[in-house]
Amino acid sequence: MAPILGEILSRIPILTIIYLMPFAAVMALFFIPGTNQKAVKVTSLVFSVISLVLSILLFLAYDYNKGGFQFIEHHVWAASIGINYFMAVNGINVTLVLLTGIIITAGVLASWNVTYRPKEFFILLLILTTGVFGVFMTYNLFLFFLFYEIAVLPMYLLIGIWGTGPKEYSAMKLTLYLMAGSALIIAGILGLYFGSGLHTFDFDRLLTVTYDRTFQIIFFPILFVGFGILAAMWPFHTWSPDGHASAPTAVSMLHAGVLMKLGAYGCLVVAVWLLPDGAKFWFPTIAILTLVNIIYGSLGAVAQKDLKFIVAYSSVSHMGIVLLGIASANSIAFSGAVLQMFSHGIMTGLFFGLVGMTYGRTHTRIITQMHGLAKNMPALAAFFVLTALTSLGLPGTSGFVAEITVFIGAFRAFPVQAIIAVIGIIITAFYILRVVQMVFFGPPDPKFADLKDANPVEFTSLALLMFFILLVGFCPFFIMKVIHSSVLPIAIKLGGM
Amino acid sequence: MGILSMAGIAAALLPFLAFLAIVTFTKKYRNVSALVSISATGLSFLTACYILYSQITAPQQSSFNIPWMYIAGIEMNMGVLVNQLTSIMLFIVTFVSLLVQIYSTGYMHDDEGYSKFFAFLSLFTFSMLGIVISNNLLQIYVFWELVGLSSYLLIGFWYFKPEASDAAKKAFVVNRVGDFGFLLGILIVSFRAGTFDFMKVIDFAKSGAIDPNTLTVIALLLFCGAVGKSAQFPLHVWLPDAMEGPTPVSALIHAATMVAAGVFMVARLYGIFSLSPAAMNVIAYIGGFTAIFAASIALVQDDIKRILAYSTLSQLGYMILALGAGGFTAGMFHLTTHAFFKALLFLGAGSVIHSMGTNDIWRMGGLHKKMPITSITMLIATLAISGIWPFSGFWSKDEIFLALHNSGHTVLYYTAVVTAFMTSFYMFRLYIVTFMGKQGEHAGHAHESPLSMTVPLMILAVFSIFSGLVGMPGQPFNISNFIYFGEMEKPAGLNMTIAYISTAVALSGIALAFIIYFFKLVRAESLKKVSGPVYTLLKNKYYVDEIYLFFIRNVFFAITAVIKWFDRNIVDGLVNLTGWLVRQGGAQLRRTATGSVQTYALMIFGGMVVAMIAFAIYNPGLLTLFGGR
């Protein structure tokens, strides 16, 4: 099927169409009165679903036997300074584009109950999505940075206006943090631009350059930390718990589900691929830091009582596995890291969706104040249990496939670190099953006796996400082929396999 | 693909299809769900019978691989390996599974989660068969975790009971600890061998490419998995608590099949374990210790299911002990007979609980008249586990004793003998107190269970009596010609001395139980007083749970609290400090923006003075610009 599909999709500017889809929704929303909430939501949903369907087709159409960049759109823009409209995808990109399509669709569904200024809410959400799609599709570093900023900035308003709790503080903290990251990234990108002497931001041309070793050793950490902040790399992770705790449900879903992956993606593709010698120099140090992420994050989650804090710390721990995979510098670990981005993106989308739905009913997120919810909310409980199992890496879920691949790859590079990382999954089992037990099991609480289970919209949102977790968990063959085809060149550039 | 491989896959997949069918379609129709589940397992059982039959008539090995995942030259397959060992396990699992499901139609009849229960049982059967047919380490780990999941779901089946949800979580987490070692072992050995395939890994290990010390480490790490799943000391703590699940679950998962997975795994990878004498010794001693340790706890428990749970621990210890001492056939033989009589014991206990509504043996008593079928079948199982001739347990235990005797592990041999004494004592204590003597306070309204429950009991009773005969010397089919490691062993002769000793020990245990609990020549109460601290120690299960809890509460939670504090106050404190410094800096700088022109002029003048002084010091030549020399 792939060849025919690929043939069709390569005749149209499919990448531009996909990333403009949420933007088209924004345009359409301008013409819909904000009072017509139903129309606002339906419009957002329709365009999201179209982008999801197109992302699925794109994923299926990617030819992993050929590998490399495909569906290329290259138009000269500002030739004198090397800014070109250069869109292309490889196996890493199609996976993350698919992830974005899934999360935005589920996120729109999960926002069905937003009643305060829904039009503005969805406009910002969709602008953010445009930015994310753009980052995952462009291979011109200037455009990359542009899309990156488009993705990051709406977050401030979304949390500041629609959030809960100390939302201004959280929004400001998160934005300033990410701005600091952006500053490092722009410095790094300019360094790459001037260091190459080619006067181009086109990624494929920069790939042909071998930067001076000292240059690489200086610029690699600048880029890696810049992107690493967004990936919640320790000790730059504290924006995450506060940010998530204050953010509305869909924003948490998109943020943890997709934005954190932007950071990890940048680390792998921009920093590691372009600066292999710098990467090799810094990887042993980074591998230690990622262990702190994994163990410290999961221990941090044990001590928390607020569901969102627990999930946020759990994300810190799981993103540590992504970063460990990247630091292990071989194609197995890289494959695992990319798959973990995908898996964790969907899983954390589910978690935040479920937490939002639970909070919407019980009006508390404190685990000690809830028990026995499974009685009245069997579907939500079942989804929560399945998500928890994904989180602790149970076979049959995508979490297992991703984590075992990272561990196998990491074991080749850093055996001791890999062993310590595996301890993280025991701690994960401990805290996540504890949450399941406290919130959903035990005798039903009369106070929550009249709570309703998931409604059809919520159910669809959760089922969509769960479908992909199980699909990858049971049949990882295809997605692994796609990912591996495209991480292999990075591993080879690093001098390994 | 050979027909045997195909049959193996079919046997495993059928229950999975049943699981899917129940979850997606028949959940609302309880009887349909049960029917789907039972017929799938029934077909699976017939397939297993076919495989067993063809292996008995013509032993052969059949293997097949389906690519599951592929990365960088490492094959990750889902495969099937059918040989003698597979066939016997397939038979045991599908057989007990089928009987337990039939039994459950009676036992769970009034439960609201009836359909869900059958769905979970089907999921379990699938996962367990996945382990059994597995031909590589990755697959065994995958299904290893999936049986853990089924066990979690079924222990916590009555999730609204706090004890049940606690026990489910405990089982999963404790198993995770064992699986940590198991996974590391798998990672190391597959990294060395470059493959996950059992046969290739074993060949690689045999080729001497791994140095002996590493091999010992690998073997011990792999064994960690068995310590968790087969509940060996020190990870045994989850199994007694797992009794909070419905009794059919205890019979199937926590007695007959899943807990035997660890034993099976050791047998499957015996080619690796047997290469390391040091690891074999550790295995033997852990098994032996668990056997006597758990038996001693069983002596004083009052809950009928807990007694049986500690008995299961003890019997699993026997199997592990046998394997560690080189008794490959003996360990697997005991696994087989134990599956039948222990499933029977649990289902019998379930029948009693179902009719009485209590687990406390002291509130039962004299049930034989009210529940004759349950009572007689329980007696058969009790005789079997006590190792009385000619019941099945006699033959398999005897092989273990013989293996221990031949291996030269004298200490372990005597440990096993003492354990056998304890076993017959606590089992007859259970039987006498429950079924004989005066009727207890609750016995009045006891009644025999329905046929759906008693028929499985009777079938299992037949197997508890006769299944041991395959170990009897001098008949055409002998287990040691079928399940063996390396060269085919000669049928173990019956060492009469050992047979006499074991029988004498078992009989004296029974006699003691009768003296205390039936004839009441010695009062149990006064025994408690005499034994004093020992009794308290046993009653509290050697305080192992308390020790673990102490560490979790006082060490683990303390660490997490420190991390929480550190993260909020130090890491985030630095972040907020940076923000504060920037703001303070801004606030101070703002004071200079007074809006008064004179101030600004003064500043410009001051700045120029400073600049000139600086130039004068560092580069006097520049002063010419201002009219200097």
Side-chain angles (χ1 to χ4, degrees):
Chain A
M1 188 169 89
I4 309 162
L5 200 58
E7 184 63 29
I8 298 169
L9 291 190
S10 55
R11 279 165 195 269
I12 51 173
I14 179 67
L15 301 182
T16 306
I17 293 174
I18 292 178
Y19 88 78
L20 283 183
M21 210 40 80
F23 194 69
V26 172
M27 289 296 140
L29 287 180
F30 280 129
F31 297 99
I32 296 172
T35 47
N36 191 349
Q37 298 205 356
K38 188 97 185 169
V40 167
K41 288 167 188 170
V42 171
T43 309
S44 309
L45 181 63
V46 168
F47 282 93
S48 305
V49 170
I50 296 175
S51 69
L52 170 60
V53 172
L54 292 176
S55 323
I56 295 173
L57 293 179
L58 180 73
F59 182 83
L60 294 175
Y62 183 79
D63 182 353
Y64 60 74
N65 290 318
K66 214 166 81 192
F69 297 135
Q70 297 178 16
F71 305 102
I72 297 169
E73 297 167 33
H74 193 284
H75 304 288
V76 176
W77 192 2
S80 57
I81 48 170
I83 298 174
N84 297 312
Y85 184 77
F86 180 18
M87 312 299 281
V89 285
N90 64 17
I92 306 171
N93 301 105
V94 290
T95 306
L96 294 172
V97 166
L98 176 62
L99 170 68
T100 312
I102 296 167
I103 297 286
I104 180 62
T105 307
V108 168
L109 286 169
S111 312
W112 218 248
N113 55 0
V114 170
T115 47
Y116 178 69
R117 310 192 78 144
K119 180 172 161 180
E120 288 79 0
F121 179 84
F122 281 102
I123 285 177
L124 288 169
L125 202 62
L126 290 161
I127 289 177
L128 187 157
T129 311
T130 304
V132 175
F133 270 134
V135 174
F136 287 145
M137 291 173 179
T138 186
Y139 273 100
N140 182 283
L141 288 181
F142 181 84
L143 276 187
F144 178 91
F145 189 73
L146 195 71
F147 280 123
Y148 187 86
E149 292 300 303
I150 292 176
V152 169
L153 284 180
M155 199 56 84
Y156 177 72
L157 296 170
L158 282 168
I159 296 178
I161 299 173
W162 286 273
T164 52
K167 54 189 183 184
E168 285 88 3
Y169 166 78
S170 305
M172 184 59 86
K173 182 171 177 179
L174 185 142
T175 312
L176 288 178
Y177 235 128
L178 300 188
M179 283 294 112
S182 296
L184 292 173
I185 294 169
I186 190 78
I189 287 179
L190 290 175
L192 293 172
Y193 176 78
F194 289 112
S196 72
L198 292 177
H199 296 287
T200 181
F201 284 102
D202 275 355
F203 191 87
D204 56 345
R205 305 246 346 254
L206 294 177
L207 264 182
T208 61
V209 180
T210 308
Y211 292 95
D212 173 54
R213 190 177 137 83
T214 320
F215 176 91
Q216 295 205 22
I217 290 172
I218 295 169
F219 274 85
F220 179 80
I222 293 177
L223 280 165
F224 201 92
V225 171
F227 287 117
I229 288 178
L230 195 50
M233 190 172 106
W234 193 88
F236 309 109
H237 65 282
T238 57
W239 56 267
S240 158
D242 286 317
H244 286 313
S246 297
T249 300
V251 175
S252 283
M253 288 170 76
L254 271 161
H255 194 189
V258 183
L259 275 184
M260 286 172 98
K261 277 63 202 182
L262 278 191
Y265 169 79
C267 287
L268 176 63
V269 170
V270 179
V272 175
W273 204 356
L274 288 177
L275 302 171
D277 291 334
K280 275 188 277 187
F281 179 84
W282 286 102
F283 273 161
T285 316
I286 293 171
I288 307 270
L289 279 184
T290 64
L291 283 189
V292 179
N293 257 68
I294 296 171
I295 301 298
Y296 178 101
S298 51
L299 288 175
V302 174
Q304 298 297 332
K305 295 271 182 291
D306 181 318
L307 275 175
K308 278 203 168 183
F309 273 80
I310 294 172
V311 179
Y313 276 100
S314 143
S315 287
V316 170
S317 168
H318 281 100
M319 287 306 289
I321 295 178
V322 173
L323 295 171
L324 176 65
I326 292 175
S328 299
N330 56 55
S331 71
I332 301 175
F334 284 163
S335 300
V338 175
L339 192 63
Q340 173 78 348
M341 290 184 211
F342 182 82
S343 166
H344 176 255
I346 297 184
M347 175 190 97
T348 199
L350 265 168
F351 261 139
F352 280 117
L354 283 161
V355 170
M357 289 168 199
T358 309
Y359 178 69
R361 290 167 168 76
T362 60
H363 303 290
T364 176
R365 290 195 310 249
I366 308 302
I367 53 174
T368 46
Q369 294 174 2
M370 294 179 263
H371 52 89
L373 294 183
K375 190 82 185 164
N376 287 316
M377 299 154 48
L380 285 179
F383 276 116
F384 203 100
V385 171
L386 273 171
T387 313
L389 295 172
T390 313
S391 163
L392 56 80
L394 191 88
T397 68
S398 55
F400 170 74
V401 183
E403 286 176 10
I404 190 94
T405 315
V406 170
F407 292 144
I408 292 172
F411 195 79
R412 303 186 163 212
F414 304 111
V416 177
Q417 284 87 331
I419 291 169
I420 297 173
V422 180
I423 295 176
I425 65 173
I426 304 181
I427 307 174
T428 305
F430 182 83
Y431 71 76
I432 208 73
L433 292 181
R434 193 155 151 260
V435 170
V436 168
Q437 184 203 11
M438 289 183 108
V439 176
F440 289 98
F441 295 166
D445 193 329
K447 174 167 82 195
F448 299 132
D450 48 352
L451 295 185
K452 296 270 180 298
D453 205 359
N455 63 38
V457 175
E458 290 170 329
F459 189 87
T460 314
S461 168
L462 299 172
L464 173 73
L465 296 166
M466 191 47 77
F467 171 77
F468 284 96
I469 282 190
L470 297 177
L471 183 68
V472 173
F474 276 90
C475 322
F477 192 81
F478 187 73
I479 192 168
M480 269 312 206
K481 279 267 187 197
V482 170
I483 293 172
H484 189 256
S485 73
S486 298
V487 293
L488 193 58
I490 307 180
I492 289 171
K493 187 116 196 267
L494 284 162
M497 280 293 277
Chain B
M1 185 183 343
I3 181 113
L4 277 180
S5 297
M6 214 151 27
I9 293 173
L13 277 185
L14 279 163
F16 185 62
L17 295 179
F19 165 73
L20 289 182
I22 296 172
V23 174
T24 45
F25 302 118
T26 72
K27 207 172 168 200
K28 291 202 184 89
Y29 314 101
R30 28 191 297 145
N31 292 330
V32 183
S33 300
L35 187 67
V36 167
S37 177
I38 291 173
S39 15
T41 311
L43 283 174
S44 212
F45 171 62
L46 291 179
T47 319
C49 287
Y50 162 74
I51 295 174
L52 182 63
Y53 174 77
S54 55
Q55 286 292 352
I56 289 175
T57 47
Q60 55 175 302
Q61 186 149 311
S62 170
S63 180
F64 184 76
N65 277 316
I66 302 159
W68 185 61
M69 194 159 96
Y70 172 88
I71 33 167
I74 304 182
E75 287 174 15
M76 299 185 171
N77 300 316
M78 285 294 138
V80 49
L81 168 67
V82 177
N83 61 12
Q84 291 100 306
L85 189 62
T86 320
S87 67
I88 191 100
M89 279 301 281
L90 275 175
F91 178 80
I92 297 169
V93 174
T94 52
F95 178 64
V96 179
S97 204
L98 180 63
L99 290 179
V100 165
Q101 290 189 14
I102 294 170
Y103 178 94
S104 302
T105 58
Y107 190 86
M108 300 296 286
H109 194 262
D110 302 322
D111 199 281
E112 3 174 339
Y114 193 73
S115 288
K116 191 171 77 174
F117 186 74
F118 279 96
F120 288 172
L121 280 185
S122 293
L123 178 66
F124 165 74
T125 309
F126 160 66
S127 317
M128 186 68 206
L129 293 176
I131 292 182
V132 172
I133 64 169
S134 152
N135 70 352
N136 66 71
L137 287 162
L138 183 73
Q139 181 181 356
I140 206 172
Y141 183 77
V142 165
F143 285 97
W144 196 260
E145 292 293 298
L146 286 180
V147 289
L149 166 69
S150 331
S151 165
Y152 171 76
L153 294 172
L154 284 163
I155 296 171
F157 186 74
W158 290 316
Y159 60 85
F160 40 83
K161 277 168 64 186
E163 302 83 13
S165 68
D166 269 337
K169 181 188 68 180
K170 182 171 174 183
F172 200 97
V173 174
V174 172
N175 267 294
R176 262 284 148 129
V177 176
D179 294 350
F180 166 68
F182 190 35
L183 181 61
L184 286 185
I186 292 174
L187 286 180
I188 296 175
V189 76
S190 61
F191 171 60
R192 288 297 187 86
T195 174
F196 287 101
D197 191 278
F198 287 152
M199 295 304 154
K200 289 181 194 158
V201 167
I202 290 173
D203 286 343
F204 182 79
K206 272 190 195 148
S207 73
I210 308 176
D211 69 281
N213 289 335
T214 315
L215 201 63
T216 301
V217 171
I218 290 172
L220 289 178
L221 284 172
L222 291 173
F223 181 62
C224 284
V227 172
K229 199 62 85 200
S230 290
Q232 298 297 292
F233 181 86
L235 298 181
H236 64 282
V237 290
W238 66 271
L239 187 62
D241 287 22
M243 296 301 123
E244 293 297 338
T247 307
V249 171
S250 313
L252 175 62
I253 301 185
H254 305 118
T257 58
M258 185 190 82
V259 287
V263 180
F264 171 74
M265 185 269 284
V266 174
R268 190 53 117 191
L269 299 176
Y270 212 60
I272 296 176
F273 289 105
S274 60
L275 292 176
S276 165
M280 289 290 270
N281 270 335
V282 173
I283 292 172
Y285 277 93
I286 286 190
F289 180 74
T290 308
I292 194 163
F293 168 83
S296 68
I297 297 175
L299 296 174
V300 298
Q301 299 299 312
D302 301 324
D303 178 321
I304 185 167
K305 284 182 76 180
R306 300 246 165 185
I307 299 173
L308 292 178
Y310 282 105
S311 147
T312 306
L313 288 179
S314 167
Q315 300 295 311
L316 289 166
Y318 264 134
M319 299 171 207
I320 295 282
L321 166 61
L323 290 176
F328 182 84
T329 307
M332 283 306 295
F333 187 22
H334 196 59
L335 187 160
T336 312
T337 59
H338 175 257
F340 299 130
F341 62 68
K342 189 49 74 63
L344 174 52
L345 284 170
F346 267 106
L347 293 184
S351 174
V352 171
I353 295 166
H354 187 66
S355 125
M356 304 280 298
T358 175
N359 286 11
D360 187 345
I361 54 171
W362 300 105
R363 294 163 75 177
M364 301 171 182
L367 290 179
H368 177 77
K369 278 212 180 104
K370 298 271 184 183
M371 314 175 71
I373 303 176
T374 307
S375 168
I376 291 168
T377 50
M378 278 287 266
L379 181 59
I380 291 169
T382 307
L383 287 165
I385 195 176
S386 305
I388 301 298
W389 186 88
F391 294 90
S392 59
F394 169 79
W395 304 99
S396 54
K397 247 186 215 182
D398 209 63
E399 290 227 2
I400 293 179
F401 290 150
L402 192 60
L404 288 173
H405 187 74
N406 294 344
S407 73
H409 284 297
T410 320
V411 178
L412 290 174
Y413 173 70
Y414 286 111
T415 309
V417 172
V418 174
T419 307
F421 170 77
M422 291 180 178
T423 308
S424 61
F425 173 78
Y426 70 68
M427 283 312 300
F428 268 86
R429 168 177 177 265
L430 185 157
Y431 185 78
I432 294 165
V433 172
T434 312
F435 291 99
M436 300 170 77
K438 271 201 296 229
Q439 291 195 350
E441 49 182 307
H442 282 250
H445 55 264
H447 53 85
E448 186 54 279
S449 297
L451 275 181
S452 58
M453 289 165 68
T454 48
V455 170
L457 293 182
M458 293 187 270
I459 297 174
L460 281 170
V462 172
F463 277 82
S464 300
I465 300 172
F466 296 110
S467 65
L469 296 181
V470 294
M472 188 172 75
Q475 39 90 17
F477 177 80
N478 195 294
I479 183 101
S480 52
N481 295 336
F482 188 59
I483 302 285
Y484 54 88
F485 177 74
E487 297 300 304
M488 191 188 287
E489 295 168 28
K490 270 196 219 131
L494 197 59
N495 182 323
M496 289 316 276
T497 324
I498 290 178
Y500 285 136
I501 290 176
S502 74
T503 307
V505 161
L507 286 176
S508 48
I510 296 172
L512 187 62
F514 268 93
I515 289 170
I516 299 175
Y517 299 103
F518 188 74
F519 300 113
K520 305 204 163 113
L521 296 179
V522 185
R523 282 173 51 84
E525 289 303 317
S526 51
L527 271 181
K528 274 183 204 172
K529 276 200 192 112
V530 172
S531 51
V534 177
Y535 174 81
T536 319
L537 186 68
L538 294 181
K539 189 83 185 166
N540 288 293
K541 306 154 234 166
Y542 297 94
Y543 297 100
V544 178
D545 272 309
E546 281 72 13
I547 294 168
Y548 288 171
L549 271 181
F550 178 84
F551 271 98
I552 290 175
R553 293 209 176 112
N554 295 293
V555 180
F556 183 67
F557 282 151
I559 293 174
T560 65
V562 169
I563 295 239
K564 183 182 179 181
W565 180 87
F566 181 80
D567 202 53
R568 280 282 102 177
N569 294 292
I570 307 296
V571 181
D572 210 33
L574 282 175
V575 174
N576 286 333
L577 181 70
T578 314
W580 184 82
L581 284 178
V582 171
R583 247 184 297 129
Q584 288 304 310
Q588 296 304 324
L589 282 176
R590 196 180 58 190
R591 292 191 189 178
T592 61
T594 55
S596 143
V597 182
Q598 286 93 328
T599 324
Y600 294 157
L602 188 66
M603 282 185 193
I604 293 169
F605 178 72
M608 279 180 70
V609 170
V610 172
M612 284 170 77
I613 293 170
F615 287 149
I617 294 169
Y618 291 107
N619 194 349
L622 278 176
L623 282 177
T624 52
L625 288 174
F626 300 95
R629 281 183 290 122

